[in-house]
Amino acid sequence: MSTRDSWRNSWGSNHAGGGLSFGGTSAWGIGGGDTIFRVLSGTSQRQSKRRSNIVSGFSEDGIHEEDDLSVYSERDVNLPPISKAEDWALMPDVKSYAERGEKDNLKSKKLGVTWKDLTVKGIGSDAAFNENVLSQFNVPQNIKEGRHGPPLNTILQDAHGCVKPGEMLLVLGRPGSGCTSLLKMLANRRNGYAEVTGDVHFGSMTAKEAEQYRGQIVMNTEEELFFPTLTVGQTIDFATRMKIPYHRLSDQHSDKDAQQEYRDFLLKSMGITHTSDTKVGNEFVRGVSGGERKRVSIIETLATRGSVFCWDNSTRGLDASTALQYTKAIRAMTDVAGLSSVVTLYQAGNGIYDLFDKVLVLDEGKEIYYGPREEARPFMEELGFICGDGANVADFLTGVTVPTERQVRHGFEASFPRTADDIRADYLRSNIKVTMEKEYNYPQSNEAGENTANFKSAVAYDKDKSLSKNSPLTVSFAKQVVACVVRQYQIVWGDKPTFIIKQVATLVQALVVGSLFYNSSTDSSGLFAKSGALFFSLLYQALMALSEVTDSFAGRPVLAKHKAFAFFHPAAFCIAQIAADLPVLFFQVTQFSLVLYFMVSLRMSASAFFTYWVTLFAIAMCITAVMRAIGAVFSTFDGATKLSGFWFSALIVYAGYFIPKTQMHPWFVWIYWIDPLAYGFEMLLSSEVHGAIIPCVNNNLIPNGLGYNDTNFQSCAGVPGAIQGNTFVTGDQYLQAFSYDHSHIWRNFGIIWAWWAFFVVVTIVATSSWKETAGKSGFLVIPRENANKNRQLLNLDEESQIKEKPSARDALAPANSSSSSSMDGKTIENQLISNTSVFTWKDLTYTVKTPSGDRVLLDNVQGWVKPGMLGALMGSSGAGKTTLLDVLAQRKTEGTITGSILVDGRPLSVSFQRSAGYCEQLDIHEPTATVREALEFSALLRQSRDTPREEKIKYVDTIVNLLEMQDIEHTLVGRTGAGLSVEQRKRLTIGVELVAKPSILIFLDEPTSGLDGQAAFNTLRFLRKLAAVGQAVLVTIHQPSALLFKEFDTLLLLARGGKTVYFGDIGEEAKTLKDYFARNGAPCPQDMNPAEHMIDVVSGSASQGKDWNQVWLESPEHKEVSNEVDRIVKDAASKPPGTVDDGHEFAMPLWQQLKLVTHRMNVALYRNTDYINNKFALHIGSALFNGFTFWKIGNSVQELQLKLFTIFNFIFVAPGVINQLQPLFIDRRDIYEFREKKSKMYSWIAFVTGLVVSEFPYLCICAVLYFAPWYYTAGFPTDSNKAGAVFFVMLFYEFIYTGIGQFIAAYAPNAVFASLVNPALITILVAFCGVLLPYSQIQEFWRYWMYYLDPFNYLISSMLTFTVFDVEVQCNDGEYALFDTPNGQTCQEYLAPFQAGLGSRTNLVNPEATSGCQVCQYRFGSDYLSTLNINDYYVGWRNAAIVVIFAISSYVMVYLLMKLRTKATKKAE
């Protein structure tokens, strides 16, 4: 056996070719023999050779032909390292996995990826318009712009490359240069791009053939998408369960062993084992730190056991030490397992850079370099560029096309390449290009063919035998379902508050409604009450299901990600949701039924009760499936809420309760047949009244009362199904009147489940087609009204395309710079505000309560920031950096703070929070504002009230120039992908704080996170400039390069638990800092970045097991710092303060706040066409539906009831609109609470007023849009006094329900919670408004207070008064009470006592007849209204006035609940 073969066997043989086995077959089931040769031959010898030799030294599979590997025997103890990551802590584990895989002789899953002539185009130009409420109706303009179709822009142009098994490629480029798009192509994700041309091969497979292996070709995106309420352990547990190979390693006894071993290895590999029981969290759910969440995302990707991995900026938010460990982990796994890894990184330190084999540099989509890593720097240097000492090579490579970033060698000033095209031209002429081209035929090579064949059989071997041949999944469908079910229960359990609210609300509803319909009688008066209770039972289950639409959108991005990872079939997820529904709905329906059924005194038989229970359960399951299907089918939340709101009202109206089927108009009767509630209602009513004999009483018996006891001379009236002349109705006659039949019960039960199955299938099909967010390239969004201010973005002519790029550093360039936007240093110094205050903190401790007891997050931290000082706050992920910044900036509302925080030796003043700038890590901004509007808003509200407005606006101009935002100042902030880029957003965050002229100091949390090297450097240079002017600046920073680190004056270094490891000067070239650590036994190696070394010492491999906090506490430096803090405080306290407190909590008076905030909210809604259009569409759609359902209602007794119901139906425009309004309110509230409230920008009163007032104009339009299509089609009186009065009441109902929706949202923790409270509140209001149960039948306990507190009561009664009061009632033939008289009396004589008393409102049609008396229940509409507690016409106007009062009070509630929610921030005790 040759040495080469022996190597392949020794390291490979996982799936018969090697690979590391992480507790399954192999970790990935991949082999990597060739890798080892490549590394062996590559590392030691490449360094010394000149480029031409090196590059020509590659053979077809990347091995140096002159290397003789036979010198290494198979077990040679002096073997050189097989990997550049040999020193990675878990390398022995990786190797031992590989050796275990060797024994089982399994085939390799090596693949590799090669691409040639790859060009990618996206839809949309660099900028797009955002229409506003008015401009969207500009038809000529829309036609003109629509004729051309969307323009295509080139994202990648003629890219090429090859990453073989065992190789790592680093893709470099500035934001927007196409790195992410290239990675998506290499991960075979083409969704959302307009056009992709060129070849991409995975092994020897084309991109099309590779689609069925999507679980092996995976990408880790920049976003972290998780279920926030799951713990880290649960998240990774799920991921690893989905990838357990069918054939395990021989020494693994069960799937569970395999899965747990792999899970534990992964958690250990990223050093987050300790977070296993902590929630993952997100911006709003407290969980692990940002860096730890990033690592969870990395581990979840590794859990796929893929062959080709694409990592998009996966070190974002990681500290330098963790980032290096991550790269070493990928390097080790790539080497041993033969993976192909493609990585794009920003701010990659040289330690990380050196771990790669190849580098590809992109600039504006053009590939300006692709070749060996060690050749990249010499290539650029030969072109005349200089890479400074200690500079990051990666940053140097991306900076060569930026005039202000690059340095040009003496003598090359005239000849160096100036643009990306020039450098690309030089590259195309180089030897490197020629050599690299030889690799492009790799897909046709025997090696690739053999690898691909092995890969396919290895994947098939891993796959469960029950799966189809083409399935990309690994475990059987049954196992997928089990894992998804377990996770679904974990999600429910993790979000216990929501679960508890649902159940408590259900119990309360059942008790309330049960007591409302308490002990209903078995005669005709109880019929209406019982059918109301039965209908309500269905209505409540349907309302509870409405929140499914909101839920559907909350989890969608996670499911799309898991689908891309081939974890499970969407059907498994849908089945899991159903499985999780079963016990929850079982419990919900059971407690509801037990309470309501017996309180209402429905039919007392076991069969009737279980029919009731099983019907509610089937309906709850079915309507949940309906709402889930609607959520799944729509791609936007707005679209889904529009349909769900409309569909919901259709389900209710056509359930058969409001309109009997016999009276439905033919054009809409089909809705009845597809309405699950209709089948449910027939089941409930049939079960309740079948076989019963129901005597007519009270109003339904004519005549009745004293002296009328002979049933032969009485008749039922107003009871459906009653035979004229009878004084009773049988249950089956009653059913027949509605076209119902008792024999339909089980038929209907089957139909409901058939509908359930249909909607489940729709959900599965729709979910299967969900895609990850489309690959549309980022573009700027311009508000239509600002079109003229943004011509430069829309009309980029050819010449402007090839000019050299400007840079943010231009703003900081010296005065003689050619940059048009630069100002001289003096101007900036005069404009910027300087600061003379000293900020100190001492013995600062911060403790929070956790389920396991108190937890200390900061432990006796001390330090200071002086004017002109730029301080760095560093530490490993989770060390408490952000926590310290929050505590210092007075941003915490929970926990206990002890110690002192002083400005100029004095306690913090009331204006401190607005006098200090704080740039949060998350760039939270109002998405519909433009950059300039955001800056002006901050300047106008936060600069002193004594500063003239013109001066504030002028200062905004200064900051716009300083931050180089002139080009984008009139574009919308938008959201990621459509709006500002990450870097532009970060600059805006800094700008928003700067325009406030912070007079004390500026805090910045991770200002360089997610930026490329240049942007990070520019940001820091800019902060340095601020410090030079006299500002005090304190910055947390994760991964500073040596170059960035040099910019800082002092360092506060924290270890886990918020313990101080060092505080003091950094020194020239970090000398002071290096000396401190060298003296304590941790010297910094010569060429290592001191910042990375410090983090490594605190938390990484260089810690030597020391307690560095203890080392610090015992050091002379600590003593000096303590003394210095005391001295500074004493010194400052003896002088007048540097900043004078104006005594105002807010810079501007409340009236100014109100004006500015309301204006911003008005503009936001004006530009939010999706929201407004939905509001309008829902009103027009509901109105037309209501109007045509109750088309031209006549004046019979039955039709009076229809008039009541069409007005009642108007109420149901609210749930749809409220469901859409609340997420918007909560988004705005989050922006306010997370940033604006904490910086004391404006009061909560201004916030609420802005949100309330901005809705007013649209609510007025909505009232018109409902009134016009509905009022006249329903056939109401056309007199202007009646129509005007109804419109007036409708207008104020718009205000009432908007106020209700807003006050729920004001206090709700999140949108899902709000969507659960809505049905509870609306059902109570609906129950007590006097429609489901007339006033006289409401239980006395409720009648005298709840009825009068219900706004819907006043709304409906006032509208009924105006439309029905003076209508003349005309009974239909079947509606008369028909009876004979005794002793030959005339009808009038017989009925005289009755009509003088109880029957005073009845209408005798034939007074002179002696038999066949015909009596109509009512003469006028007012007679009917008297049964509804409306006894006079003035009641209409009185109730209309009360509606106005309710509208006002609902807005008062918004203020009240917002005030209750607004907590004071914590101060040091």
Side-chain angles (χ1 to χ4, degrees), residues 51 65 102 177 201 231 342 557 626 637 661 775 860 1034 1043 1167 1172 1233 1241 1309 1419:
R51 176 164 35 141
E65 290 159 348
E102 176 188 344
S177 58
H201 280 86
T231 65
V342 184
V626 172
F637 178 68
K661 179 179 165 290
N860 285 312
L1034 183 60
L1043 211 57
R1167 289 178 182 155
I1172 298 298
E1233 289 188 337
M1241 200 184 260
R1419 292 167 303 159

Side-chain angles (χ1 to χ4, degrees), residues 423-495:
I423 299 175
R424 182 180 166 87
D426 279 326
Y427 170 72
L428 293 175
R429 291 193 291 270
S430 70
N431 286 344
I432 302 177
K433 162 79 164 53
V434 176
T435 312
M436 298 316 284
E437 271 182 332
K438 293 178 185 170
E439 294 189 337
Y440 301 160
N441 60 6
Y442 175 74
Q444 286 76 46
S445 69
N446 293 336
E447 183 192 344
E450 191 182 320
N451 279 346
T452 308
N454 287 343
F455 166 83
K456 286 179 177 176
S457 56
V459 170
Y461 187 72
D462 270 356
K463 198 158 58 175
D464 194 281
K465 294 293 169 267
S466 62
L467 295 171
S468 74
K469 187 167 168 252
N470 296 330
S471 170
L473 309 172
T474 306
V475 298
S476 69
F477 187 70
K479 285 180 182 168
Q480 293 169 37
V481 171
V482 169
C484 286
V485 169
V486 169
R487 182 180 67 171
Q488 209 58 31
Y489 281 125
Q490 287 167 341
I491 290 170
V492 171
W493 192 243
D495 191 11

